[in-house]
Amino acid sequence: MSTIPAPSAVDALHGPPLPVLGADVRVPLITGDEVSYGALDYAASAPVLSSVWDDVSAYMPYYGSVHRGAGHLSQLSTDLFERSRRTVGEFLGCRGDDEVVFTRSTTDSLNLLAAALPAGTQVYVFETEHHAALLPWPPERLTVMRAPGSAYEAVEIVAETLACHDPQRPGLVCVTGASNVTGEIWPVGSITEVAHTAGVRVALDAAQLVPHRRVDVAGLGVDYVAFSGHKMYAPFGAGVLAGRADWLRTAAPYLAGGGASRRVVHGDGALSVEWQQGAARHEAGSPNVVGVHALASACRALTAAGFDALAAREEALLERTLAGLAGIEQVRVLSLLGGSAPRVGVISFVVDGWNSAHLAAALSAEYGIGVRDGMFCAHPLVRGLLGNAPDHSDECGAPEPLAPGARQVNAVRASFGAGTPVEHLDRLVAAVAALARDGSRWTYRTEAGRCVPVR
Ligand code: PLP
């Protein structure tokens, strides 16, 4: 007898998913049928919340230039832009003197922070970070810490590493809040305590945490936080870097141009520029007011839904899906920090005898489920989890079946959130079980590096 409750039990206990656009989109299957799209790639980009879309649509007739125009709509748009900044600051629980800088994405935010580091700053990252948090730092001032095997060990590694930090130099630990590969939540509060004891600041890569859990900058004590709108139900290309004002205030502008400059004078054959001091210093050019408005709208929507309620529902979905996958002998769910580590709605796994590119292609073509396959821009982490050599080359696209027990080179990731109906995850588990048991019903080949059904 199954111990997994009926799908309706999740909704009865935790309420239905939040309304998102695309919930009723139907997609064709290779077999000729049509099904509702099983959107399980939230960790890449989440669907847009209906309330965010409504807010954006309501604003569009009033769209105008920001910070420059004298007209009514310009003033309205400028006001909206600056109010959005306050909304985001409140959403994040920022300290009163923190800056909230609007960027394009988490990647952009962390590159901005890297460009704003005071001279001589030593940066510390785990090798398990997403490339956006692993790569922006100057290599000659970067210490890469080994992968921990538990949350406790992660804190220990930081403590050991920072014991050698020169207190005369600025330092920065950049750490993820939740892994985009395993979904596991990192012990950011404890890492921050250890880092601060060593006089080192902490930047939180909250790209995967912000859509799922309340991030409290002041409560956690982190110095900076970076995230993207498109992962929190607000596409349109806005991101955030929030945190301590001092480094940002003294750094060279991230982008040079209008908006970042207060006064420009040409004299004696040279330009002299007085740069802005606050967030505007790093926001040159016409800002993305639509993206920023959408992002602030998502902050309001998630706050109104309540993170406790969202997390409880997501945990019910996680439990159900992990239990379902655990019942399929060939499946191995990837975990770095150990089975008891809390997770957000991200599950990566491999199926013995299956190339993950092939599995993902079959899930899409035969079951209408959109997952991601590969190494998820976290190559060292995924190689480590799959037990591969660090210099192992990538072979993600090959559709050939693997022999049972053969080395895996990539994984499948299913990710979900506030808009996910139970049925999408139940369909995933049933599809993986059927594929593992019976194989695919179609033939696949590699085309331009992707595994695709032969038509
Ligand atoms: N950090 C993490 C943990 C991520 O999962 C991602 C994207 O997947 C990023 C950073 C980069 O986000 P973006 O592509 O929006 O810059």
Side-chain angles (χ1 to χ4, degrees):
M1 198 179 78
S2 167
T3 53
I4 301 176
S8 55
V10 174
D11 287 351
L13 212 57
H14 301 286
L18 296 187
V20 291
L21 299 192
D24 48 3
V25 164
R26 295 183 69 77
V27 291
L29 301 182
I30 194 74
T31 48
D33 298 330
E34 207 188 73
V35 291
S36 73
Y37 184 57
L40 293 179
D41 199 10
Y42 275 48
S45 286
V48 57
L49 277 174
S50 301
S51 61
V52 168
W53 179 245
D54 291 346
D55 274 356
V56 168
S57 306
Y59 163 61
M60 288 320 288
Y62 303 95
Y63 171 74
S65 64
V66 173
H67 290 153
R68 311 237 203 294
H72 186 76
L73 296 196
S74 280
Q75 288 169 18
L76 200 145
S77 292
T78 302
D79 183 51
L80 185 74
F81 189 72
E82 292 306 328
R83 267 193 290 131
S84 299
R85 203 189 296 283
R86 286 195 291 280
T87 300
V88 171
E90 281 161 23
F91 173 76
L92 293 172
C94 283
R95 295 156 291 246
D97 51 358
D98 283 341
E99 292 289 2
V100 174
V101 183
F102 288 119
T103 65
R104 291 177 300 171
S105 61
T106 312
T107 305
D108 201 26
S109 298
L110 293 174
N111 275 271
L112 158 56
L113 184 58
L117 296 176
T121 304
Q122 188 65 29
V123 181
Y124 302 90
V125 291
F126 283 97
E127 63 171 337
T128 50
E129 295 296 335
H130 186 281
H131 295 172
L134 196 58
L135 302 181
W137 321 107
E140 69 284 3
R141 289 192 272 131
L142 182 64
T143 303
V144 181
M145 299 178 282
R146 71 179 189 280
S150 67
Y152 179 79
E153 199 192 352
V155 183
E156 270 193 341
I157 292 171
V158 174
E160 271 164 31
T161 309
L162 297 189
C164 303
H165 178 73
D166 173 357
Q168 303 306 314
R169 296 175 71 180
L172 180 77
V173 171
C174 181
V175 65
T176 194
S179 165
N180 70 309
V181 176
T182 64
E184 290 163 330
I185 296 178
W186 280 62
V188 175
S190 306
I191 287 175
T192 303
E193 268 178 42
V194 166
H196 284 178
T197 306
V200 169
R201 292 189 177 188
V202 174
L204 172 62
D205 170 359
Q208 298 296 346
L209 191 61
V210 148
H212 303 277
R213 296 287 188 280
R214 164 135 170 76
V215 170
D216 179 2
V217 168
L220 281 171
V222 294
D223 300 279
Y224 304 95
V225 59
F227 65 96
S228 308
H230 71 104
K231 294 186 195 293
M232 61 176 299
Y233 317 102
F236 311 107
V240 169
L241 176 69
R244 307 270 181 209
D246 51 354
W247 288 2
L248 297 171
R249 198 183 298 131
T250 47
Y254 182 47
L255 294 173
S261 49
R262 203 199 305 255
R263 190 162 176 270
V264 182
V265 177
H266 183 205
D268 299 330
L271 290 176
S272 118
V273 186
E274 193 186 319
W275 298 106
Q276 299 277 14
Q277 284 288 301
R281 185 179 184 86
H282 300 292
E283 292 176 349
S286 300
N288 175 6
V289 59
V290 177
V292 162
H293 176 45
L295 196 148
S297 169
C299 292
R300 284 191 296 274
L302 294 180
T303 305
F307 275 104
D308 287 348
L310 292 174
R313 183 173 193 279
E314 189 175 291
E315 267 157 26
L317 293 180
L318 263 169
E319 208 177 303
R320 179 182 187 86
T321 308
L322 287 170
L325 291 174
I328 308 168
E329 202 190 331
Q330 299 91 329
V331 169
R332 176 163 75 92
V333 171
L334 304 185
S335 162
L336 180 70
L337 302 181
S340 60
R343 283 177 186 251
V344 299
V346 175
I347 302 173
S348 293
F349 60 95
V350 289
V351 178
D352 189 33
W354 279 81
N355 181 309
S356 294
H358 183 195
L359 187 76
L363 286 171
S364 172
E366 299 176 34
Y367 297 91
I369 297 171
V371 293
R372 180 155 288 226
D373 61 284
M375 299 208 286
F376 321 120
C377 296
H379 293 185
L381 170 58
V382 175
R383 281 200 197 97
L385 291 171
L386 297 179
N388 290 329
D391 61 351
H392 176 71
S393 65
D394 307 339
E395 301 163 11
C396 293
E400 290 78 24
L402 296 179
R407 182 172 52 82
Q408 299 278 350
V409 293
N410 47 10
V412 167
R413 180 182 74 188
S415 54
F416 51 94
T420 304
V422 183
E423 188 275 327
H424 287 182
L425 289 160
D426 285 359
R427 198 190 323 166
L428 171 78
V429 171
V432 173
L435 288 166
R437 190 185 55 237
D438 305 328
S440 52
R441 289 170 285 163
W442 208 261
T443 310
Y444 295 80
R445 66 189 172 91
T446 302
E447 193 180 283
R450 295 291 310 157
C451 186
V452 292
V454 174
R455 287 176 198 275

